[in-house]
Amino acid sequence: MNAAQAATGENVEVTPAVGTAPSPQKCHSKVFPYEDFYQAELTKKHKDKSYRFFNSINRLAKEFPKAHTNSEKERVTVWCSNDYLGMSKNKEVLKSMHNVLDKYGAGAGGTRNIAGHNAHTLELEATLADLHSKEAVLVFSSCYVANDATLSTLGSKLPNCVIISDQLNHASMIQGIRQSSARKIVFKHNDLVDLENKLKSLPIEVPKIIAFESVYSMCGSIAPIEKICDLADKYGVITFLDEVHAVGMYGPRGAGVAEHLDFKAHANGRPENTVMSRVDIITGTLGKAYGCVGGYIAGSGKFVDMIRSLAPGFIFTTSLLPAVMAGANTAIQYQKTTFTDRAAQQLNTRYVKAKLAEHDIPVVPNPSHIVPVLLGDAAMAKIASDMLLERFDIYVQAINYPTVPVGEERLRVTPTPGHGPELAENLVNALETVRY
Ligand SMILES: Cc1ncc(COP(=O)(O)O)c(C=O)c1O
């Protein structure tokens, strides 16, 4: 198996290269059989159909939403990117990245602790703090790291902390909670009655965090943020809201669903007592609607300073490169003042959903920009994804367990402003063919 095959999962048989030294297992029969162990783990993944296959997809900046495959001549239409607004190809973003790259070079030169922080970090954090109307923001290398580092730090430092977590929360939050060793209570997805029952059972004086998302990426559901804030106030809890799939996409300035809920007030100025201001901690990504990479937390000055001072996931890793921070900053500023992309994205989503309904193709119903086409079987989802690619030059990755429960396997379709009616009709006709 060569490196490319290993990466794509094309061939999992391990054949030793000619001329390599005998493995230690052959010399010492009692040595742990590491390679056999790896193979056994992989075999389990193949058996339960959760083994991950990757395709060669090279998204082209000048031909969005097209990509080439491993052949530069072969074009496919990408229908499952989280570059929801095509900002990774936005001319202003690219220009600012080129300028900073030429002036300041490729890397950040170290952790912020050692290398210091450059002007681009500070500008980006100021832009984000303004976006969410919070006192402070801290940028991380990704939102996976931001969620993991923040929840694990908060959960371990707050004495006897209890974290009440939505059943469908992302792996980054689950990992952070696990890492914190805090007590975890799971409430049914978006279920306020279940959440309140769980909160009622906890002593008022114990520190508690409700951890949840605004847009749930695999089913497209949206959290009742305001009502969760009401419960948080009633039971003395702080709220931790992941707006990863909503930043750039909702609200008059793209701050997310919390901002969207007071749309008019935010569109007209800097209102107080909004849903967004009631949420204690907001986390977001620079890697989806903003088209770059990186993550962040936003909250009170003291909270952010505490995480900056204590979280290993922030302290001990090289910071993002200056060009990425400049690009992300441009993307956020751009989306703060432009509504066109968000509107086009929503119209294209509506069109795809309507066409799928016309063809009786089952979609998990939801009010967001995500279109989960339900297939309900891991093997079928993989076959459908492969057929779309091979026969119709359409790339939609199959989503299997453990990302979604067994029996709820799906194709997660994400229209962008570039996926107009013609592409949508191609997709729906292709889906119609592959599902039989
Ligand atoms: C809900 C949610 N939170 C956090 C993350 C991690 O974000 P990032 O890609 O910036 O690491 C993801 C990634 O898909 C996500 O879906």
Side-chain angles (χ1 to χ4, degrees):
M1 177 169 66
N2 62 33
Q5 285 168 327
T8 57
E10 278 169 15
N11 180 1
V12 292
E13 275 177 43
V14 181
T15 37
V18 177
T20 51
S23 75
Q25 289 158 36
K26 285 184 186 147
C27 306
H28 310 284
S29 58
K30 284 189 182 156
V31 167
F32 185 83
Y34 297 100
E35 292 294 324
D36 293 348
F37 175 82
Y38 307 147
Q39 185 56 60
E41 287 299 307
L42 290 170
T43 303
K44 274 195 245 165
K45 296 292 279 179
H46 280 285
K47 270 199 183 142
D48 72 9
K49 305 277 182 240
S50 67
Y51 183 77
R52 289 172 194 268
F53 294 89
F54 297 158
N55 289 296
S56 173
I57 300 292
N58 308 273
R59 298 181 316 119
L60 290 153
K62 293 191 178 135
E63 294 178 42
F64 176 78
K66 301 272 176 190
H68 70 72
T69 59
N70 47 9
S71 154
E72 284 227 18
K73 291 193 188 116
E74 220 175 74
R75 293 288 183 273
V76 294
T77 305
V78 178
W79 269 102
C80 57
S81 169
N82 284 335
D83 184 9
Y84 295 130
L85 301 175
M87 288 307 284
S88 73
K89 289 101 179 61
N90 178 280
K91 285 202 177 106
E92 290 184 27
V93 171
L94 295 185
K95 194 171 149 209
S96 71
M97 289 186 76
H98 281 298
N99 289 343
V100 173
L101 190 62
D102 290 343
K103 190 164 175 186
Y104 294 101
T111 65
R112 265 166 91 168
N113 222 22
I114 305 272
H117 55 199
N118 56 55
H120 305 98
T121 320
L122 299 182
E123 281 163 19
L124 176 59
E125 289 179 346
T127 299
L128 285 164
D130 173 65
L131 179 70
H132 292 291
S133 288
K134 294 287 178 209
E135 283 175 7
V137 158
L138 190 68
V139 168
F140 290 74
S141 41
S142 73
C143 195
Y144 186 101
V145 177
N147 283 348
D148 180 13
T150 305
L151 282 170
S152 62
T153 304
L154 266 185
S156 63
K157 292 288 170 190
L158 287 168
N160 304 318
C161 178
V162 182
I163 305 180
I164 305 104
S165 172
D166 187 285
Q167 179 190 6
L168 294 191
N169 272 345
H170 187 253
S172 53
M173 284 191 266
I174 296 170
Q175 180 63 17
I177 298 168
R178 189 177 295 146
Q179 193 73 12
S180 76
S181 304
R183 182 175 166 207
K184 169 178 159 182
I185 299 179
V186 175
F187 66 98
K188 286 185 200 146
H189 177 53
N190 279 350
D191 187 330
L192 293 163
V193 175
D194 190 43
L195 174 59
E196 179 154 23
N197 284 337
K198 296 207 154 128
L199 292 173
K200 258 186 213 162
S201 69
L202 298 167
I204 189 78
E205 67 280 6
V206 164
K208 298 172 278 290
I209 305 167
I210 302 174
F212 64 115
E213 302 177 22
S214 56
V215 177
Y216 287 82
S217 71
M218 290 301 146
C219 57
S221 57
I222 293 187
I225 303 175
E226 191 170 9
K227 295 210 165 75
I228 290 179
C229 288
D230 292 342
L231 289 177
D233 287 348
K234 188 169 168 189
Y235 293 97
V237 189
I238 57 168
T239 43
F240 178 105
L241 174 62
D242 172 316
E243 288 254 35
V244 159
H245 292 276
V247 287
M249 302 293 290
Y250 297 91
R253 299 184 305 159
V257 178
E259 186 195 40
H260 202 93
L261 293 171
D262 297 294
F263 197 99
K264 270 198 190 145
H266 283 291
N268 293 331
R270 311 298 307 276
E272 291 186 354
N273 302 323
T274 62
V275 175
M276 192 160 74
S277 67
R278 293 179 69 195
V279 177
D280 298 288
I281 300 163
I282 294 176
T283 73
T285 187
L286 308 170
K288 301 193 193 297
Y290 292 130
C292 296
V293 69
Y296 61 90
I297 56 170
S300 77
K302 285 187 187 126
F303 155 72
V304 168
D305 203 16
M306 188 191 94
I307 299 299
R308 187 186 70 85
S309 308
L310 296 177
F314 170 77
I315 299 170
F316 298 109
T317 187
T318 301
S319 40
L320 287 175
L321 41 155
V324 161
M325 290 195 271
N329 197 1
T330 305
I332 300 160
Q333 304 277 15
Y334 184 93
Q335 287 301 334
K336 265 185 184 174
T337 52
T338 319
F339 201 65
T340 332
D341 295 332
R342 294 205 276 295
Q345 195 285 332
Q346 288 289 342
L347 285 174
N348 289 346
T349 300
R350 221 176 283 174
Y351 191 80
V352 172
K353 284 184 177 173
K355 283 280 151 195
L356 289 166
E358 260 175 42
H359 287 248
D360 281 332
I361 296 175
V363 169
V364 180
N366 71 72
S368 76
H369 61 284
I370 290 162
V371 188
V373 176
L374 200 60
L375 290 164
D377 177 85
M380 250 171 64
K382 163 106 179 72
I383 290 169
S385 168
D386 288 348
M387 276 174 78
L388 285 172
L389 192 60
E390 279 153 27
R391 289 178 49 189
F392 299 96
D393 299 328
I394 286 172
Y395 176 60
V396 195
Q397 177 67 306
I399 309 285
N400 291 341
Y401 177 83
T403 312
V404 292
V406 172
E408 293 183 25
E409 291 81 1
R410 61 199 65 181
L411 298 175
R412 178 178 178 271
V413 172
T414 49
T416 73
H419 292 89
E422 195 185 325
L423 291 182
E425 276 151 35
N426 291 345
L427 171 75
V428 176
N429 291 336
L431 279 170
E432 179 74 57
T433 312
V434 303
R435 77 175 172 146
Y436 292 113

